[in-house]
Amino acid sequence: EVQLVESGGGLAQPGGCLRLSCAASGFTFSTYSMNWVRQAPGQGLEWLSYIGSDNRRVYYADSVRGRFTISRDNAQNALYLQMNSLTVEDTAVYYCVRDENWQLIDWGQGTLVTVSS
Amino acid sequence: DIQMTQSPSSLSASVGDRVTITCQASQDISDYLNWYQQKPGKAPKLLIYGASNLETGVPSRFSGSGSGTDFTFTIRSLQPEDIGTYSCQQYGNLPLTFGGGTKVGI
């Protein structure tokens, strides 16, 4: 069974930083590309970032480029999102998502990030 | 960025009704469109990929159609467990973008 478990969410101050982690199991992590998608309270889904299976291809949404960094450790079956210069607009549930040909096929349960002073 | 316009934003129907949701892309995306279901408090779940392909394990009452800029998602006979929000997502170009969602109630 595929499992994606996010952690690292919580309360951050504007201008602060957080690092999200996603522990993957139940599939060969090193062969799948991964994404981060977020959902602000009461809002729709927003794709943030993609990383290829071998770390070579990385893409970002304009809203987070230059502030967020996606990375992965295939030896540890882990995906990360380093989030810097946080603003109140970054308040959302953040999902780790397994990708197959741009189908977002498996989602974690999400971790809530709240940015507030 | 490709804008995805989804309608309606919400609907209420009866058990057994046919439900139709539309999604319009701001430019041609061929059939690079997925549909997701999100139940309250849960993560989204992929239902339809490539505009019309049913994901494994998804009931056959769900279907999708369309290509280019206009797409349709249909629930043939609405069931109580289908309550939730349905969203389209295009992958014709980066960034991946989603429709605003349709909240389906009974």
Side-chain angles (χ1 to χ4, degrees):
Chain A
E1 179 194 3
V2 170
Q3 283 204 322
L4 298 167
V5 180
E6 302 93 339
S7 60
L11 179 64
Q13 291 200 332
C17 59
L18 282 175
R19 189 194 196 207
L20 305 184
S21 300
C22 172
S25 61
F27 64 102
T28 306
F29 181 73
S30 62
T31 65
Y32 285 89
S33 48
M34 299 293 294
N35 296 262
W36 287 99
V37 175
R38 72 183 177 187
Q39 187 168 35
Q43 301 300 309
L45 298 161
E46 180 186 15
W47 173 81
L48 299 179
S49 186
Y50 162 102
I51 186 166
S53 59
D54 59 1
N55 268 305
R56 290 185 180 181
R57 290 184 299 166
V58 171
Y59 305 115
Y60 296 97
D62 286 347
S63 59
V64 302
R65 185 178 295 112
R67 299 189 301 125
F68 291 9
T69 303
I70 192 171
S71 61
R72 64 190 294 162
D73 183 337
N74 285 342
Q76 298 294 322
N77 292 339
L79 177 71
Y80 304 101
L81 186 68
Q82 177 66 44
M83 305 189 298
N84 298 332
S85 303
L86 287 164
T87 73
V88 293
E89 287 75 31
D90 295 317
T91 294
V93 173
Y94 286 71
Y95 294 102
C96 163
V97 188
R98 181 168 77 130
D99 178 313
E100 184 168 312
N101 299 321
W102 301 109
Q103 329 303 333
L104 305 178
I105 56 175
D106 290 294
W107 299 60
Q109 86 288 349
T111 187
L112 176 63
V113 170
T114 302
V115 183
S116 174
S117 55
Chain B
D1 297 3
I2 296 176
Q3 308 303 316
M4 304 302 294
T5 303
Q6 193 173 332
S7 62
S9 57
S10 66
L11 65 89
S12 182
S14 300
V15 173
D17 281 355
R18 183 184 186 91
V19 169
T20 299
I21 298 168
T22 64
C23 192
Q24 185 170 58
S26 60
Q27 64 188 73
D28 190 335
I29 57 169
S30 185
D31 60 355
Y32 298 140
L33 185 98
N34 301 323
W35 289 96
Y36 300 85
Q37 174 195 62
Q38 187 174 22
K39 295 188 177 181
K42 300 294 186 182
K45 173 188 174 183
L46 178 65
L47 299 182
I48 302 284
Y49 64 93
S52 60
N53 301 288
L54 199 65
E55 178 71 346
T56 302
V58 174
S60 60
R61 64 179 180 275
F62 296 102
S63 65
S65 65
S67 67
T69 61
D70 295 303
F71 302 87
T72 300
F73 173 83
T74 300
I75 307 173
R76 186 181 68 241
S77 175
L78 187 68
Q79 300 300 304
E81 61 266 32
D82 299 336
I83 288 174
T85 299
Y86 294 80
S87 300
C88 58
Q89 171 244 322
Q90 69 79 24
Y91 56 103
N93 273 318
L94 289 177
L96 305 183
T97 48
F98 293 84
T102 297
K103 188 172 183 179
V104 174
I106 292 179

